[in-house]
């Protein structure tokens, strides 16, 4: 079992729709979770961090964390073609110590 | 620009040669990380430093790989006797608070 798992996609949504990206993790001690966006040929860019159960909103982005279910999600409202990228989920703390463990990423395509 | 800087951005080498990558972190960050990423995969942890101390190194990392951060500022990642399987993007990131900020990466192609 991978430590952080994501569906690789691709996930395709129409412009203006809500995109829902999901991630599960195996280390119950993980304390911090991050979502990164990576455009093709570029490096990962941090878009959200979440540390507590519940929702955290930042503009069109909402991160959700459920530690009991070991589940993290990212919702993108009013999706735009410029949101088309690979979204990486990462977890840290617990057995991971000071490093982050990344999932394989979910490719999102937003169609005009 | 005060972001993470990596050099070179691209490196093409022949199998068996040694290569070295340099990373300059964000100046106030005390942690520096190296990751490797291949096409279609997420970044894979290699090693990280807190100041000049190397705190963790991946068990999967061959002994051909070595990293240093001699003065707690910039870091180098050296790969000796490169193999075609070493072809990847080598990403450096720095942090103070747990959030990692990545450089643009160094792409290695081993022929």
């Amino acid at each position: 079992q991978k430590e952080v798992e994501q569906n690789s996609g691709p996930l395709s949504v129409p412009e203006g729709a809500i995109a829902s990206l999901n991630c599960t993790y195996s280390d119950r001690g993980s304390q911090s979770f991050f979502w990164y966006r990576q455009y093709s040929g570029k490096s990962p860019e941090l878009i959200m961090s979440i540390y507590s159960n519940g929702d955290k909103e930042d503009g069109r982005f909402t991160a959700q964390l459920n530690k009991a279910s070991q589940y993290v999600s990212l919702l993108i409202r009013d999706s735009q073609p410029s949101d088309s990228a690979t979204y990486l989920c990462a977890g840290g703390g617990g057995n991971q110590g000071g490093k982050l463990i990344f999932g394989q990423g979910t490719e999102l395509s937003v169609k005009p | 620009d005060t972001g993470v800087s990596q050099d070179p951005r691209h490196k093409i080498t022949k199998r068996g040669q040694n290569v070295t990558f340099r990373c300059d972190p964000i100046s106030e960050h005390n942690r520096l990380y190296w990751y490797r990423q291949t096409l279609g995969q997420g970044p894979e942890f290699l090693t990280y430093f807190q100041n000049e101390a190397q705190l963790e190194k991946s068990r999967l990392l061959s002994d051909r790989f070595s990293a240093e951060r001699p003065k707690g500022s910039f870091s180098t990642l050296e790969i000796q006797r490169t193999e075609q399987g070493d072809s990847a993007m080598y990403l450096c990131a720095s942090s103070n608070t747990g959030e990692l900020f990545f450089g643009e990466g160094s792409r290695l192609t081993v022929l």
Side-chain angles (χ1 to χ4, degrees), chain B residues 4-11 19-25 34 74-78 89-92 103-108:
Chain B
V4 178
S5 176
Q6 293 189 245
D7 184 70
R9 295 288 308 281
H10 303 274
K11 178 71 175 179
V19 296
T20 299
F21 301 114
R22 175 179 169 127
C23 173
D24 288 89
W34 287 99
F74 73 92
S75 175
T76 58
L77 176 69
E78 180 182 20
M89 177 74 84
Y90 290 84
L91 294 165
C92 176
E104 289 300 313
S106 293
R107 182 170 296 283
L108 174 65

Side-chain angles (χ1 to χ4, degrees), chain A residues 12-59:
Chain A
S12 183
V13 301
E15 184 174 357
I18 296 175
S20 178
L21 303 157
N22 304 314
C23 172
T24 58
Y25 61 94
S26 60
D27 179 6
R28 281 201 170 273
S30 296
Q31 299 165 2
S32 54
F33 301 89
F34 306 88
W35 284 98
Y36 286 80
R37 177 175 61 201
Q38 187 172 28
Y39 292 114
S40 181
K42 301 295 186 181
S43 62
E45 172 193 11
L46 179 68
I47 53 173
M48 290 285 287
S49 58
I50 187 165
Y51 304 93
S52 304
N53 276 330
D55 295 359
K56 179 181 178 183
E57 186 175 319
D58 184 0

Side-chain angles (χ1 to χ4, degrees), chain B residues 1-64:
Chain B
D1 189 299
T2 57
V4 178
S5 176
Q6 293 189 245
D7 184 70
R9 295 288 308 281
H10 303 274
K11 178 71 175 179
I12 300 173
T13 191
K14 293 183 179 179
R15 188 175 52 190
Q17 298 296 304
N18 298 344
V19 296
T20 299
F21 301 114
R22 175 179 169 127
C23 173
D24 288 89
I26 295 170
S27 58
E28 61 267 28
H29 286 183
N30 57 16
R31 287 192 172 183
L32 185 149
Y33 299 77
W34 287 99
Y35 283 80
R36 175 173 61 190
Q37 188 177 27
T38 53
L39 194 63
Q41 300 298 314
E44 174 193 16
F45 171 76
L46 296 180
T47 188
Y48 87 97
F49 295 83
Q50 179 154 320
N51 300 314
E52 65 273 14
Q54 188 173 20
L55 295 189
E56 188 173 347
K57 184 175 176 180
S58 170
R59 293 189 302 272
L60 302 177
L61 200 59
S62 160
D63 58 7
R64 296 183 296 105

